[in-house]
Amino acid sequence: MEETISLRELFAVLRKRLWLIVLITIIAATVSGVISFFVLTPVYESKTQILVNQAKNDQQLYNTQTVQTNVQLINTYNDIITSPAILDKVVKELKMDKSAQSLSGQIQVTSAQDSQVAQIVVQDTSAKRAAQIANTTASVFQKQVPKLMNVDNVKVLSKATVGESASPIKPQPLLNVAIAVVVGLIIGIGLSFLLEYLDNTLKTEQDIENILDLPVIGVVTNIKDVPKPTNVSRPDVAARVPQRGETYGS
């Protein structure tokens, strides 16, 4: 015989273990908030843009082939920017206490499809240092391109700046707390149904009728707080033991 569960029973299980669901959700949100606000270090991001453009004279005009060549060069430049040939000089110029390999993990070079503009994106725990790294990387790359590629076709379009109220890109405490609440609800609901599934005890008469398919013909109830019998003696009705020579009624 297949067992079916109605929506009423599902809601009954959730209502029965609502305290567990709420508790797990509160714990998850609290832990996420504490970690986001007090444990994780804020990370800031700065960007600078460079333009890859073939040198031309007054008579030379742009054509599709030239633009396509510049776009293909960007893919090569993306690897050069994060190479030790560039980053070693950036580390030396900024007097940073880290290697070029470590610095490359903070730098990402992106470009839109079929675009001659590339972005140097830097992430760091300091907003000011992130802007310095981005600008220095673009400047060093622009100086080194003629030596590495024998072409002078890189220009800096915009430099990274630090705003007065720079905000970190991560962590995002509110988003983390919201995710933790959702995860806490899912875990709480799943745990509630798991505990209900593992609970195979019979608690009510309805459980016997539903599970065993047997009619209930009697119920043994719990008798609590039954008063104990007390012996009360009354002097006026107490029995008198007759003495020798006396009879009852005399």
Side-chain angles (χ1 to χ4, degrees), residues 58 99 111 122 131 146 151 180 236 246:
D58 295 337
S99 63
S111 60
V122 179
V151 290
D236 57 334
E246 295 180 349

Side-chain angles (χ1 to χ4, degrees), residues 10 28 68 99:
L10 293 178
Q68 187 63 30
S99 63

Side-chain angles (χ1 to χ4, degrees), residues 48-53 70-71 74 78 109-120 155 157-158:
T48 184
Q49 289 182 321
I50 59 175
L51 172 66
V52 178
N53 184 23
N70 294 334
V71 172
I74 287 181
N78 290 351
V109 183
T110 62
S111 60
Q113 185 176 4
D114 297 333
S115 174
Q116 296 178 243
V117 177
Q119 284 193 90
I120 300 176
K155 296 181 180 179
L157 286 182
S158 63

Side-chain angles (χ1 to χ4, degrees), residues 45-60:
E45 183 178 88
S46 284
K47 301 178 182 179
T48 184
Q49 289 182 321
I50 59 175
L51 172 66
V52 178
N53 184 23
Q54 292 285 358
K56 65 182 185 64
N57 52 38
D58 295 337
Q59 287 76 28
Q60 184 179 4

Side-chain angles (χ1 to χ4, degrees), residues 47-244:
K47 301 178 182 179
T48 184
Q49 289 182 321
I50 59 175
L51 172 66
V52 178
N53 184 23
Q54 292 285 358
K56 65 182 185 64
N57 52 38
D58 295 337
Q59 287 76 28
Q60 184 179 4
L61 298 177
Y62 286 108
N63 55 55
T64 304
Q65 185 177 359
T66 303
V67 173
Q68 187 63 30
T69 302
N70 294 334
V71 172
Q72 292 175 354
L73 278 175
I74 287 181
N75 296 327
T76 303
Y77 288 168
N78 290 351
D79 296 329
I80 296 177
I81 291 174
T82 56
S83 67
I86 302 298
L87 297 186
D88 280 338
K89 293 180 174 55
V90 174
V91 170
K92 183 177 180 180
E93 186 170 335
L94 294 178
K95 299 179 181 180
M96 302 176 67
D97 187 16
K98 61 174 58 181
S99 63
Q101 184 178 2
S102 176
L103 181 60
S104 65
Q106 299 178 234
I107 301 176
Q108 182 181 9
V109 183
T110 62
S111 60
Q113 185 176 4
D114 297 333
S115 174
Q116 296 178 243
V117 177
Q119 284 193 90
I120 300 176
V121 183
V122 179
Q123 294 184 357
D124 195 88
T125 54
S126 169
K128 181 179 180 180
R129 187 166 56 243
Q132 290 176 342
I133 294 174
N135 292 331
T136 304
T137 301
S139 176
V140 171
F141 175 67
Q142 184 181 17
K143 295 176 183 178
Q144 294 299 316
V145 162
K147 301 177 183 179
L148 297 174
M149 301 289 293
N150 295 322
V151 290
D152 187 8
N153 61 348
V154 175
K155 296 181 180 179
V156 178
L157 286 182
S158 63
K159 293 185 177 182
T161 58
V162 181
E164 295 181 358
S165 58
S167 57
I169 60 169
K170 57 183 179 181
Q172 298 179 353
L174 296 181
L175 178 60
N176 293 344
V177 171
I179 295 175
V181 169
V182 175
V183 173
L185 286 173
I186 295 175
I187 294 176
I189 293 174
L191 185 59
S192 298
F193 284 115
L194 177 62
L195 293 177
E196 188 67 20
Y197 175 77
L198 297 177
D199 187 5
N200 56 2
T201 59
L202 301 177
K203 297 181 176 61
T204 63
E205 298 87 347
Q206 287 75 16
D207 293 340
I208 299 176
E209 293 180 348
N210 295 333
I211 298 177
L212 300 180
D213 197 18
L214 295 174
V216 178
I217 60 176
V219 177
V220 179
T221 60
N222 293 326
I223 303 176
K224 299 180 180 180
D225 300 328
V226 178
K228 297 181 179 180
T230 57
N231 295 325
V232 180
S233 60
R234 295 176 58 185
D236 57 334
V237 296
R240 180 176 180 273
V241 180
Q243 302 296 326
R244 176 179 292 181

